[in-house]
């Protein structure tokens, strides 16, 4: 239990219990009703005494974090590509590395009005980031979870962004529709991977994908050609060791200019290609 203490003492206590300095700071700030990023405030108030009610809140938050719950769920939001997004247990906690997919999509410099589809949108992180950066694009997004779409729609309303939200599995809801760009961060962890235990607070349907983690990636790659315009692109996030196989699958499916992009750690995190003869593909 956290004993009555000054802010500085509470921070030390939390780190002694196994939290990082940043996690400790975020929890103290959240317990005090302040922005989790307001660490400058902590420096100027490190000798403030924590009231009993704040200590009670802090203890509950600390237990949740020590049990492995994502920090984003605890504070209720996550910053992603210049957007603050509401997140909870209905959606995957957006990872910073997924910004690699957004940056690649924007680097394609698609002409307006481009039709773009985000598959398995979750919190809407990818679709909303693209909508904010390119308001002249037509953004569409789907998810098999109606609960996830509720979170995404809330985030869109909060930021005044327009996206066409559709409930359904991968490309099934888009019969006879074609797009200039399809992006997706699908599940890609093998279903028996021991690391899944550490992710138990997040929706399993957004994480695990068959024995080798490639079931959903295969499905998207197989379905995408029938839904891309000439010169359209398919960009996919995948696991740290899956880039060679995803590139092979893309090439086998007939995609041109197949390549990969690295994440913040220099790991090949996204792969994609252009659906069309090379003369139609412009990087």
């Amino acid at each position: 239990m956290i004993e009555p203490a000054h802010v500085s003492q509470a921070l030390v206590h939390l780190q002694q219990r196994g939290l990082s300095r940043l996690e400790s700071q975020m929890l103290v700030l959240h317990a005090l009703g302040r922005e989790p990023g307001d660490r400058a405030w902590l420096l100027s108030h490190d000798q403030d005494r924590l009231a009993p009610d704040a200590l009670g809140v802090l203890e509950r938050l600390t237990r949740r974090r020590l049990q492995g719950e994502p920090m984003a769920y605890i504070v209720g939001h996550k910053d992603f590509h210049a957007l603050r997004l509401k997140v909870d247990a209905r959606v995957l906690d957006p990872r910073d590395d997924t910004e690699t997919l957004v940056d690649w999509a924007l680097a394609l410099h698609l002409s307006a009005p481009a039709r773009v589809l985000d598959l398995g949108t979750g919190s809407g992180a990818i679709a909303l980031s693209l909508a904010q950066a390119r308001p002249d694009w037509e953004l569409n997004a789907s998810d098999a979870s109606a609960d996830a779409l509720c979170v995404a729609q809330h985030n869109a309303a909060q930021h005044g962004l327009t996206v066409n939200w559709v409930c359904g599995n991968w490309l099934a809801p888009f019969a006879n529709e074609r797009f200039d760009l399809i992006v997706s961060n699908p599940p890609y962890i093998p279903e028996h991977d021991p690391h899944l235990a550490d992710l138990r607070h997040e929706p399993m349907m957004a994480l695990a994908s068959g024995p080798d983690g490639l079931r959903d990636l295969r499905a998207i790659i197989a379905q995408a050609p029938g839904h891309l315009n000439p010169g359209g692109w398919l960009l996919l996030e995948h696991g740290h060791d899956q880039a060679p196989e995803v590139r092979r699958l893309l090439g086998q499916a007939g995609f041109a200019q197949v390549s990969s992009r690295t994440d913040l750690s220099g790991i090949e995190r996204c792969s994609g290609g252009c659906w069309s003869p090379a003369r139609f593909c412009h990087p």
Side-chain angles (χ1 to χ4, degrees):
M1 293 287 294
I2 297 175
E3 299 296 331
H6 297 109
V7 167
S8 60
Q9 294 171 321
L11 290 171
V12 171
H13 178 79
L14 294 182
Q15 291 174 73
Q16 289 174 340
R17 292 175 68 177
L19 299 183
S20 70
R21 178 172 177 78
L22 177 59
E23 290 173 326
S24 302
Q25 292 173 333
M26 291 179 69
L27 291 184
V28 169
L29 286 166
H30 191 60
L32 294 173
R34 302 197 65 86
E35 287 292 312
D38 193 8
R39 293 193 291 276
W41 184 90
L42 285 176
L43 293 175
S44 59
H45 293 80
D46 64 331
Q47 293 306 306
D48 287 7
R49 194 166 189 83
L50 294 170
D53 59 341
L55 284 168
V57 172
L58 182 58
E59 176 63 25
R60 290 192 293 274
L61 298 178
T62 300
R63 288 181 180 179
R64 290 171 63 185
R65 184 58 189 145
L66 289 174
Q67 290 169 359
E69 188 172 350
M71 185 66 73
Y73 293 175
I74 296 172
V75 302
H77 60 77
K78 182 69 169 285
D79 292 335
F80 181 90
H81 217 273
L83 290 175
R84 173 155 292 183
L85 302 172
K86 169 186 172 64
V87 293
D88 57 33
R90 292 174 289 179
V91 298
L92 198 67
D93 174 14
R95 272 59 169 179
D96 293 340
D97 287 332
T98 301
E99 294 187 7
T100 302
L101 194 65
V102 175
D103 292 338
W104 190 359
L106 294 174
L108 294 175
H109 300 296
L110 300 181
S111 299
R115 296 197 76 215
V116 180
L117 174 59
D118 173 26
L119 297 173
T121 193
S123 64
I126 295 171
L128 293 172
S129 296
L130 295 176
Q132 182 192 53
R134 290 299 303 264
D136 53 339
W137 288 359
E138 178 197 314
L139 263 298
N140 303 267
S142 70
D143 203 288
S145 167
D147 286 339
L149 287 177
C150 286
V151 177
Q153 289 169 328
H154 170 87
N155 285 325
Q158 286 291 102
H159 293 284
L161 296 170
T162 300
V163 175
N164 175 38
W165 308 102
V166 178
C167 189
N169 190 50
W170 304 136
L171 285 146
F174 302 98
N176 303 318
E177 291 192 57
R178 290 185 178 270
F179 301 89
D180 301 296
L181 170 64
I182 298 174
V183 295
S184 183
N185 175 21
Y188 53 72
I189 301 176
E191 58 190 9
H192 299 301
D193 192 307
H195 295 98
L196 285 173
D198 297 329
L199 305 171
R200 62 190 178 279
H201 294 278
E202 299 184 70
M204 197 54 54
M205 66 179 294
L207 293 166
S209 184
D212 62 358
L214 292 165
R215 181 189 61 207
D216 293 293
L217 284 160
R218 288 193 188 96
I220 294 170
I221 292 171
Q223 295 171 24
H227 295 274
L228 284 167
N229 287 320
W233 285 80
L234 174 64
L235 305 182
L236 301 165
E237 181 170 334
H238 49 66
H240 68 96
D241 59 351
Q242 294 172 336
E245 180 60 14
V246 174
R247 287 195 299 266
R248 188 190 70 79
L249 290 168
L250 287 165
Q252 187 179 60
F255 284 87
Q257 297 191 34
V258 173
S259 62
S260 299
R261 296 290 184 275
T262 58
D263 62 19
L264 299 173
S265 300
I267 296 169
E268 290 184 319
R269 181 63 59 184
C270 303
S271 296
C274 177
W275 177 249
S276 153
R279 66 178 180 277
F280 291 111
C281 298
H282 303 285

